[in-house]
Amino acid sequence: MNIGIDARLLERKITGIGRSLILLLDEIPKFDKENNYFLFSYEVISHNEKFYKNIKTFKGFLPQKLFSPIWCNFILPFYLKKNKIDVLFSVNQIVPLIKFKPTKYVSVVHDVIYKADPDFLPLIYRKYLQIFAYFSIKISDLIITVSEYSKKDIIRNYKIDHSKIIVVLQSANKNFVKNLLSESQKNNIKKSLNLKKNLVLFVGMIENRKNILGLLKVADEVKKNHKDLDFILVGKLGHGSKKIVEEIKLRSNVKHLKNIDDVTLKNLYNISDVFLFPSFYEGFGYPPLEAMQCGLPVIASNKTSLNEIIGDGGILVEPDDYLRMSTIISKLLSDKIFYNEISQKGIEQSQKFNLEKTVSEIVAIFNSLKNTKN
């Protein structure tokens, strides 16, 4: 079969979903020796040219959010037909609104956040998803989602047959693992980044959905008893970030780091003391999984999919219980036995998310569509 992949995410600044696509593309060649793979993007992205046929399409002059539906519905179908694509795979849930035989559509729907709270996304983008995601979900032959929570959420919002949705648990980058750094090495890294002795880390978009303002309340509470502690926020700016950034600037114990590479991020996971993730809504949640892989104790919200992903591997708290979060941080800093217990539980929980299993299940889904009728 010829399998086409919407690879435009690789042309932008890489976020969680883009990172998951890279992991998938790196592993597919190990699991599939029969099918042919095509990567469709605006420009040539040159990803493993020995295995993938990288297809340059057309890049318009309109802003990305305006041009994207035009590309998806009018330009992409031309290339699907030209390259005789049997299966179109979209990791960003949007597929052409018109079904082109004989191509089957497989879309990955991480969440239906645009249905959850109007404050989580900008108005125009929310409306865009409400329209195009609705039709994409309805028209897709199969939907892959990333957690049982998201599957239930999709069914609840769209009333579609549960057999059309397959849960494939995701996995984090295997490079994010526990490093046995000496105290001297840790101190040198902290010094290079101008960080204090103890660190609480957050990784993710700086936006309303992530409950950053709540995290800042935790920082205020913790500061009362821990003067030599920084809260490090790593991530690019998202919806609602203007107010959040203004609040960050008011605090001497909170630092926002942007545009850091994976080496620095891995170091931060390994020199921090606690990972705090009080998000209101997650379809999956890659950062806490990365933290658990590194043995960094996780405190997270008990909402949406985080119960499922973190399980017993971390400490789950109501997202507005800022006092309890600060109390747990203090306990982790003062109680080494408790700290090591949570650290080990996190490592064990993270081992349930296996990249090889993820990729083999997705390849099996592609193959299940062979010779099936539209």
Side-chain angles (χ1 to χ4, degrees), residues 294-329:
C294 295
L296 180 59
V298 171
I299 303 170
S301 160
N302 61 3
K303 298 299 182 183
T304 61
S305 69
L306 293 173
N307 284 308
E308 181 181 344
I309 305 307
I310 296 172
D312 295 330
I315 302 170
L316 298 167
V317 183
E318 289 288 336
D320 60 352
D321 195 346
Y322 312 122
L323 182 59
R324 180 153 186 255
M325 292 180 200
S326 63
T327 300
I328 296 169
I329 290 171

Side-chain angles (χ1 to χ4, degrees), residues 5-22 25 39-43 45 64 68 71 89-94 108 110 125 236 286:
I5 299 177
D6 181 351
R8 292 175 296 156
L9 283 176
L10 304 187
E11 297 178 291
R12 310 172 201 168
K13 183 172 177 59
I14 301 300
T15 56
I17 298 177
R19 192 184 295 277
S20 71
L21 176 58
I22 292 173
L25 295 181
L39 303 182
F40 296 105
S41 53
Y42 299 136
E43 304 287 347
I45 54 176
Q64 156 67 20
S68 182
W71 183 89
F89 180 59
S90 171
V91 297
N92 207 20
Q93 79 182 33
I94 304 299
V108 179
H110 286 78
Y125 186 48
K236 70 176 187 176
Y286 294 97

Side-chain angles (χ1 to χ4, degrees), residues 5 58 68 95 103 105 143 164 182-184 193 203 205 209 222 240 242 249 264 279 286 310 315 322 342 369:
I5 299 177
F58 176 78
S68 182
V95 298
T103 305
Y105 294 166
I143 294 166
K164 185 178 174 178
S182 67
E183 286 303 312
S184 175
L193 296 171
V203 177
M205 292 279 284
R209 171 170 67 102
V222 170
K242 183 178 179 180
K249 290 178 179 178
T264 304
S279 179
Y286 294 97
I310 296 172
I315 302 170
Y322 312 122
I342 302 302
L369 293 170

Side-chain angles (χ1 to χ4, degrees), residues 2 40 69-70 75 97 144 200 238 247 272 289 294 303 349 365:
N2 290 337
F40 296 105
I70 297 172
I75 297 172
L97 302 186
I144 295 173
V200 174
E247 288 293 328
S272 296
L289 180 55
C294 295
K303 298 299 182 183
Q349 175 70 5
I365 289 169

Side-chain angles (χ1 to χ4, degrees), residues 29-47:
K30 304 174 186 177
F31 290 86
D32 196 345
K33 307 298 182 184
E34 298 181 6
N35 298 312
N36 304 308
Y37 286 83
F38 299 73
L39 303 182
F40 296 105
S41 53
Y42 299 136
E43 304 287 347
V44 174
I45 54 176
S46 301
H47 192 96

Side-chain angles (χ1 to χ4, degrees), residues 102-129:
T103 305
K104 311 290 193 312
Y105 294 166
V106 177
S107 58
V108 179
V109 180
H110 286 78
D111 55 56
V112 287
I113 184 176
Y114 46 89
K115 292 276 191 176
D117 188 316
D119 198 38
F120 287 168
L121 293 172
L123 176 62
I124 294 176
Y125 186 48
R126 192 172 76 249
K127 293 298 182 183
Y128 164 81
L129 286 175

Side-chain angles (χ1 to χ4, degrees), residues 309-356:
I309 305 307
I310 296 172
D312 295 330
I315 302 170
L316 298 167
V317 183
E318 289 288 336
D320 60 352
D321 195 346
Y322 312 122
L323 182 59
R324 180 153 186 255
M325 292 180 200
S326 63
T327 300
I328 296 169
I329 290 171
S330 294
K331 183 173 174 59
L332 285 166
L333 293 174
S334 61
D335 188 335
K336 195 66 176 177
I337 294 175
F338 178 62
Y339 185 96
N340 290 336
E341 177 188 342
I342 302 302
S343 172
Q344 185 57 37
K345 284 183 176 180
I347 292 173
E348 292 170 2
Q349 175 70 5
S350 72
Q351 292 170 350
K352 298 177 182 178
F353 300 85
N354 183 281
L355 178 58
E356 289 74 18

